[in-house]
Amino acid sequence: MMNSKLSGILEQILLASFFFVGFLLVFEGDLQIPLFLQPIGRLHTLLLHFPIVLLLLAMLMEFFRFHASFKENTAYLQFTQWLILAGALSSALTVIMGIFLAKEPGYGGGDLYWHRWLGVATYIFASLMYWIRSKEWYQSSMAKITSISMSLLLILVGHFGGNLTHGGNFVLEPLLKNKAVPLEEAIVFQDLVQPILEKKCVACHNPDKIKGELLLTDAKSIAKGGKTGPLYVAGKSELSLLIQRAHLSIDDKKHMPPIGKPQLSDDELQLLTWWVKEKASFTKKVVDLASNDSLRILSTKLLASASGPQVEAYDFQEADEKTVQKLSNEYRTIMLFAKDSPALSVNFFNKAQYKAPKLEELKEIKGQIVSLSLAKMPVQNADLAFVKVFEHLHTLNLNFTDVTEVGLKELAGMKELMVLSLSGTKLKAAGLASAMKAIPNLKKVYVWDAGLSREDIQVLQKQLRGIQVVGGFQDDGSNPLKLNPPQVKNPSTIFDEYIVAQLGHPIKGVEIRYTLDGSVPDSAKSAIFAGNLRLNQNTSIRTRAFKSGWIGSEEASFDFYRGHFRPDSAVLLTPLNRVHQAAGAKTFFDGRLGSFNANSPAWANNWAGVRNNDLVLVTMFKQAILLSSVELRIMVETQTGIFPPELVEVWGATVENQWKLLSKFKPAIPKENFPHTLPLIGAKFKASTVKYIKIVAKPLEKIPGWHPAKDKRALFLVDEMFFN
């Protein structure tokens, strides 16, 4: 009786979920997810495995439901029924969470489209299956067809979900990898840099999941950068966001790749650093670099290691599997160093749990450890005595620890140690060379940001013949660098009554100068930004950054727009162009401005457009407003056929559909060689009380005769509209 009552309640919940999910899907374009619901959306990736497992198990049981052994087994049939019901309900919850999650910035594209609708199809299919499987006409063949169909559907929805999480072709990637590239044909970016980005970064920066509005799937997008600005400064790795973020502490929320994701190896980070330092060329071949160039040496090494599986042969036995499992815990991971190899790699990652005796615990597998990472652990000089017992250790990572050149003497005589990372430690040049010489087969030592001057590193390199000393950039003041431009920190540059401009720069001590009259800022006469610049009208701020000992930055210009009224709702009465949908009617009042670059997410997501029909938008206010001006922010890019509209009409009404023409205006049509611009077009008119506003914008019917596409209809793009 209880089961019957419970199933009845759950069936009612399942039925109600149809209406709720349907409502969310119909009005998805207008949904605004409040902050307190965003964590629920992010649980989508945790919960989605639950319905998959339940439904796969249910489909396996359903396939054999009419077999003689199970046909009359009541417990078997009831258990299957409960599994399908639980799978349908958890699918409903997963779909709702997925809709919430997809509203966050950075999600879009084909994989999201298919993952969403296949997920909805799975939920509907599971629900219908629950209802029909008790019908008389539902027999053996139908059970097998539905169970196989559902299994295939689950595989497909999981495939597209995996693409969103890990990047495209995640499952088939090992089979699709290109063959090794000959050294004489290898291009630094294509064959070395891009594979690193694809392996460690693209999972979060692809067209379907654009975190930080940054795409890393092609050269143009990489050169463009993301929400926080350019990804790199060509020739200046120390000023490049790509390198800065990778060097942050892994506990820092801005560290990239984020904690929990595969991290860059020392060689990968070094290659990216040297690539940026070599002007970040997308076309240069490895053989075009000088034979003694560091980037060429490292590229040659990496290409050689990729030419085929080269598992080093070790003369020791593999460790006992149970011992390895016992020693792996919440502060330490132990993994195979390579497939089909007895060698082990150990990584400590919980600073709070680290103590020197934790190293001594590894004595049971000391003969199999070849790689040990203690990076960012509170390692002291005395702890290195425990490290010395790992007789086959060839790579030791002591980055950002408390060891000094005095403690490094403990590593003397380690015959197989070849790579030592000391970046972020506090070293003194005196005594360091002798400590390194005491390690007989050391090949490479990293001393980035380790307290050594450029002269120290040069002397150290001379003293350590046969050992590569890798240091970072040291600014001695003899080669002044150019500052990168200032950045705007306001979440949106669109405001109501007023806004306080927030400008910043990633380098401390920089002076930001600005002008509001259209003139170019200079370091002498222009106003200094002090953080109290209050704006109450449309304003364009031109800025430059200056600092003693540095070359002044290029100019950066930021446009601030005032829009006094935002409608309570808006609806489009005509369709948008197929490839310029943006967020529909919501686009024009979401406070998100578009950009020029077609490879930028701000271009793809923020511009709405029409070509073959008028743009007709109706907005509604709950309370009447006094309207006196309307402006549209549009794109003009004549080379690609994007022109201002031929005519814009503004209609108003206090009663629905009783329209009165308030204004109409014809923007100027650009002449040949007109520059790319993002202008405001609009009109001021006699103030009128309205509750409804209708904007009618007519695209240019015939492109001018000087244009290659003359006489064709122009594309009209708009991203924001401003009332008063």
Side-chain angles (χ1 to χ4, degrees), residues 110-159:
D111 285 334
L112 176 64
Y113 175 87
W114 286 108
H115 181 63
R116 174 199 285 122
W117 292 111
L118 287 170
V120 172
T122 300
Y123 154 59
I124 294 173
F125 195 178
S127 302
L128 292 177
M129 192 173 176
Y130 174 78
W131 297 110
I132 68 172
R133 65 188 301 274
S134 59
K135 304 296 182 183
E136 291 184 5
W137 48 265
Y138 186 86
Q139 296 299 319
S140 178
S141 58
M142 179 66 75
K144 290 181 178 179
I145 291 171
T146 53
S147 58
I148 292 172
S149 300
M150 174 61 82
S151 299
L152 292 174
L153 196 56
L154 288 167
I155 291 171
L156 285 173
V157 73
H159 166 71

Side-chain angles (χ1 to χ4, degrees), residues 637-713:
E637 194 173 45
T638 57
Q639 291 87 333
T640 55
I642 304 172
F643 281 77
E646 194 168 276
L647 175 68
V648 178
E649 298 174 346
V650 181
W651 298 77
T654 54
V655 179
E656 190 173 5
N657 292 326
Q658 294 185 14
W659 297 109
K660 175 185 176 182
L661 182 64
L662 303 180
S663 178
K664 60 181 179 180
F665 54 92
K666 292 185 176 183
I669 303 303
K671 305 293 185 181
E672 191 172 3
N673 299 321
F674 192 83
H676 299 184
T677 57
L678 301 174
L680 281 179
I681 60 171
K684 294 184 178 180
F685 41 83
K686 183 180 178 180
S688 298
T689 300
V690 297
K691 289 185 71 175
Y692 302 90
I693 303 171
K694 180 166 69 174
I695 310 294
V696 180
K698 301 177 181 293
L700 187 63
E701 196 159 330
K702 289 186 178 182
I703 292 177
W706 53 263
H707 196 280
K710 63 180 181 179
D711 296 333
K712 293 184 178 179
R713 290 181 69 92

Side-chain angles (χ1 to χ4, degrees), residues 136 138 185 195 215 228 239 300 316 330 348 351 361 406 440 460 483 506 534 558 577 590-591 668 682 699 711:
E136 291 184 5
Y138 186 86
E185 297 178 12
L215 272 173
T228 54
L239 297 182
T300 304
F316 50 79
E330 71 276 6
F348 282 78
K351 184 183 293 187
E361 292 175 357
V406 176
L460 193 62
L483 290 167
R534 177 175 167 138
F558 308 110
N577 194 36
D590 62 4
D711 296 333

Side-chain angles (χ1 to χ4, degrees), residues 321-336:
E321 186 176 349
K322 290 183 179 179
T323 302
V324 172
Q325 290 177 351
K326 179 186 72 174
L327 293 172
S328 296
N329 49 40
E330 71 276 6
Y331 57 84
R332 179 175 60 207
T333 59
I334 303 173
M335 300 178 292
L336 286 177

Side-chain angles (χ1 to χ4, degrees), residues 10 25 98 195 259 297 348 391-392 397 595 601 620 681 684 716:
L10 295 178
L25 292 173
I259 189 169
I297 294 170
F348 282 78
E391 56 198 282
H392 296 300
N397 187 341
S595 72
M620 292 146 278
I681 60 171
K684 294 184 178 180
F716 168 54

Side-chain angles (χ1 to χ4, degrees), residues 114-309:
W114 286 108
H115 181 63
R116 174 199 285 122
W117 292 111
L118 287 170
V120 172
T122 300
Y123 154 59
I124 294 173
F125 195 178
S127 302
L128 292 177
M129 192 173 176
Y130 174 78
W131 297 110
I132 68 172
R133 65 188 301 274
S134 59
K135 304 296 182 183
E136 291 184 5
W137 48 265
Y138 186 86
Q139 296 299 319
S140 178
S141 58
M142 179 66 75
K144 290 181 178 179
I145 291 171
T146 53
S147 58
I148 292 172
S149 300
M150 174 61 82
S151 299
L152 292 174
L153 196 56
L154 288 167
I155 291 171
L156 285 173
V157 73
H159 166 71
F160 288 109
N163 283 356
L164 283 171
T165 305
H166 302 287
N169 292 322
F170 174 69
V171 175
L172 299 177
E173 182 187 9
L175 302 177
L176 298 176
K177 283 184 178 177
N178 296 328
K179 294 181 179 178
V181 180
L183 178 63
E184 60 275 9
E185 297 178 12
I187 298 172
V188 177
F189 172 75
Q190 176 182 300
D191 300 307
L192 290 153
V193 174
Q194 196 165 30
I196 294 173
L197 299 178
E198 288 175 352
K199 185 178 178 183
K200 302 292 176 73
C201 310
V202 164
C204 292
H205 300 284
N206 61 77
D208 297 306
K209 189 178 182 182
I210 313 175
K211 291 295 184 182
E213 299 182 6
L214 174 64
L215 272 173
L216 296 178
T217 52
D218 60 88
K220 286 185 178 179
S221 300
I222 293 168
K224 172 63 179 175
K227 183 178 180 180
T228 54
L231 189 62
Y232 60 85
V233 179
K236 298 182 172 53
S237 56
E238 70 284 351
L239 297 182
S240 298
L241 202 61
L242 173 66
I243 309 304
Q244 291 173 352
R245 291 286 179 89
H247 274 99
L248 290 173
S249 166
I250 196 168
D251 300 322
D252 194 307
K253 65 179 181 179
K254 292 184 178 181
H255 172 82
M256 290 295 156
I259 189 169
K261 298 287 186 180
Q263 298 297 303
L264 294 168
S265 68
D266 288 338
D267 281 343
E268 288 171 339
L269 179 53
Q270 195 64 66
L271 187 131
L272 292 176
T273 303
W274 282 335
W275 174 67
V276 173
K277 200 170 184 179
E278 286 283 349
K279 304 297 177 68
S281 170
F282 291 96
T283 57
K284 185 172 286 187
K285 290 185 174 182
V286 174
V287 293
D288 292 338
L289 300 165
S291 59
N292 62 346
D293 185 275
S294 299
L295 180 57
R296 175 166 179 169
I297 294 170
L298 182 55
S299 298
T300 304
K301 169 193 168 184
L302 293 176
L303 287 168
S305 65
S307 62

Side-chain angles (χ1 to χ4, degrees), residues 347-474:
N347 178 31
F348 282 78
F349 56 87
N350 189 327
K351 184 183 293 187
Q353 292 283 346
Y354 172 81
K355 289 182 175 60
K358 305 294 185 183
L359 287 168
E360 194 173 14
E361 292 175 357
L362 298 171
K363 62 184 179 181
E364 295 180 70
I365 55 171
K366 66 177 184 178
Q368 287 82 22
I369 297 175
V370 300
S371 175
L372 174 63
S373 176
L374 296 169
K376 302 180 178 67
M377 296 296 107
V379 180
Q380 305 296 319
N381 286 337
D383 300 355
L384 297 184
F386 296 101
V387 173
K388 192 170 183 178
V389 302
F390 304 132
E391 56 198 282
H392 296 300
L393 190 68
H394 65 58
T395 300
L396 176 59
N397 187 341
L398 296 172
N399 291 344
F400 301 97
T401 60
D402 297 325
V403 300
T404 68
E405 68 284 350
V406 176
L408 293 174
K409 294 177 182 179
E410 291 285 351
L411 305 178
M414 294 191 70
K415 295 181 180 179
E416 298 190 25
L417 185 59
M418 294 184 288
V419 179
L420 181 59
S421 293
L422 299 169
S423 297
T425 58
K426 300 303 177 187
L427 302 173
K428 294 180 181 178
L432 184 57
S434 59
M436 297 297 96
K437 287 179 181 178
I439 306 173
N441 292 305
L442 190 64
K443 303 297 182 193
K444 185 182 294 186
V445 58
Y446 293 92
V447 289
W448 178 290
D449 193 26
L452 302 177
S453 67
R454 178 181 296 177
E455 291 74 18
D456 290 337
I457 294 173
Q458 290 174 346
V459 171
L460 193 62
Q461 184 66 82
K462 289 180 181 178
Q463 293 175 333
L464 299 176
R465 297 292 182 183
I467 300 176
Q468 183 183 359
V469 181
V470 182
F473 173 78
Q474 301 286 339

